[in-house]
Amino acid sequence: MFPQAVFAPVGQVTGPIGWTDPVPVNDVYLFDLDALVPSPKGQMDLDFARYLSAFARKRACYILSNTSITDMMTRVPASVRAACAGLFAAGGTELWVGDDLVVQHEHEFSDDIYEFMVKVVQKSAYPEKQAPMLESGSASLRLCIAGYQSTLRQMKDYAAWEEEHSELATITHEFKARFPDHDVYRDTDTSLMIVPRTFSSALVVSHLLKRHKNARLIGYVTPQAAGSYANPLCDAFGTADVLSTIKGPGDVSQLLSYEFRRLTQQEAAVNERAGELVEA
């Protein structure tokens, strides 16, 4: 349905400084939350938050996360949320603009799926399970056997245990066999995300282009997200769009420092052309 995007490695930016007509002033930016706040229990660095807020006030910026809007509000400062054009929560099944939920995909998960999840938890051999282990959204389910209220240390302990026992891989295989009308993703080292086939993160691209006509999309996603729930979104980027796989806020700062310079040059060119029209 969509042309294949070209991935840009860290350090490669959206193009050389300078351009040909028309001046590209309709870029829209999409950031993977895990690239902005690498720790699942952490908060955005305040200096980085000021830097990102300044950029988001100049260009339309969105943040995408596999987690709930409540988790996003905990990890992203209010100043950044206010500067951004929107937040895509729960893997893109929800779009929040300010305090308003403007897009919500809905799906009623069957009792069979919930019963399967309960049995998965009961059969798990992990000795330190903590409730709650299931996070439910309007069109998404997430499973973390360690428990969503676990500390960062407890999450790391579970990740180490899972790496040795590969329990989530077994659960994924069983789920795919029983529920082929749903997709299941290993969205983090410690959790699984389930969405119905009626939803795809590629719809995030559709929502962005509806809100910003003829926009060029510039995305920054982590390798984890690109290989998981955000893979359909990455595939939906067009050939003129730019998609960079990055690991953390240091990479974002490096790339945005170029974007700031590019924006300054764009603004100067626009002002120059406006002056020429007035004189004419």
Side-chain angles (χ1 to χ4, degrees):
M1 181 182 299
F2 297 93
Q4 180 67 37
V6 177
F7 280 77
V10 172
Q12 180 176 333
V13 289
T14 54
I17 296 178
W19 52 81
T20 58
D21 291 340
V23 177
V25 295
N26 61 336
D27 290 342
V28 173
Y29 295 78
L30 179 67
F31 300 93
D32 175 6
L33 176 58
D34 288 338
L36 306 177
V37 189
S39 172
K41 298 293 183 179
Q43 295 181 333
M44 187 178 295
D45 177 82
L46 292 181
D47 287 337
F48 176 70
R50 284 191 286 270
Y51 188 73
L52 183 60
S53 295
F55 183 81
R57 287 191 289 269
K58 288 180 172 290
R59 283 291 183 268
C61 293
Y62 293 81
I63 300 177
L64 168 71
S65 177
N66 55 332
T67 61
S68 67
I69 187 63
T70 301
D71 178 75
M72 295 184 75
M73 292 177 69
T74 300
R75 298 168 68 189
V76 181
S79 59
V80 176
R81 300 198 306 268
C84 284
L87 305 178
F88 285 99
T93 60
E94 299 174 359
L95 172 59
W96 292 78
V97 177
D99 295 327
D100 297 324
L101 178 60
V102 299
V103 173
Q104 182 179 43
H105 296 272
E106 296 185 2
H107 176 76
E108 186 174 349
F109 290 95
S110 69
D111 291 341
D112 288 345
I113 289 181
Y114 284 107
E115 290 173 4
F116 174 83
M117 304 296 263
V118 170
K119 290 180 180 178
V120 160
V121 170
Q122 292 173 340
K123 289 170 57 179
S124 171
Y126 185 63
E128 303 295 335
K129 298 189 287 285
Q130 296 189 58
M133 288 165 270
L134 190 65
E135 183 179 75
S136 180
S138 59
S140 66
L141 289 174
R142 296 183 67 234
L143 172 71
C144 178
I145 292 176
Y148 282 105
Q149 294 181 1
S150 297
T151 64
L152 185 59
R153 169 52 59 188
Q154 290 169 329
M155 287 288 192
K156 289 181 177 179
D157 290 343
Y158 174 69
W161 183 91
E162 168 58 30
E163 186 175 0
E164 180 180 352
H165 293 82
S166 299
E167 194 173 68
L168 292 181
T170 301
I171 295 171
T172 298
H173 179 75
E174 292 178 357
F175 186 92
K176 288 181 177 180
R178 291 191 57 179
F179 304 102
D181 54 343
H182 290 71
D183 289 316
V184 56
Y185 299 102
R186 179 75 174 270
D187 65 325
T188 72
D189 291 338
T190 60
S191 63
L192 298 176
M193 169 176 276
I194 297 165
V195 294
R197 286 281 174 89
T198 54
F199 172 80
S200 165
S201 60
L203 291 173
V204 169
V205 171
S206 299
H207 294 316
L208 290 174
L209 295 180
K210 285 179 182 178
R211 296 173 65 84
H212 305 276
K213 302 297 184 183
N214 302 315
R216 180 176 70 160
L217 304 181
I218 300 175
Y220 301 116
V221 299
T222 60
Q224 175 82 51
S228 179
Y229 76 97
N231 181 257
L233 179 150
C234 295
D235 287 343
F237 268 53
T239 54
D241 301 326
V242 179
L243 190 63
S244 297
T245 52
I246 58 178
K247 293 183 178 180
D251 294 338
V252 177
S253 295
Q254 175 187 344
L255 293 172
L256 287 191
S257 65
Y258 166 80
E259 297 295 346
F260 264 118
R261 293 195 301 271
R262 193 168 66 91
L263 287 174
T264 300
Q265 190 176 356
Q266 284 185 1
E267 290 168 354
V270 170
N271 291 336
E272 181 179 350
R273 291 185 184 186
E276 292 175 351
L277 289 175
V278 169
E279 292 176 0

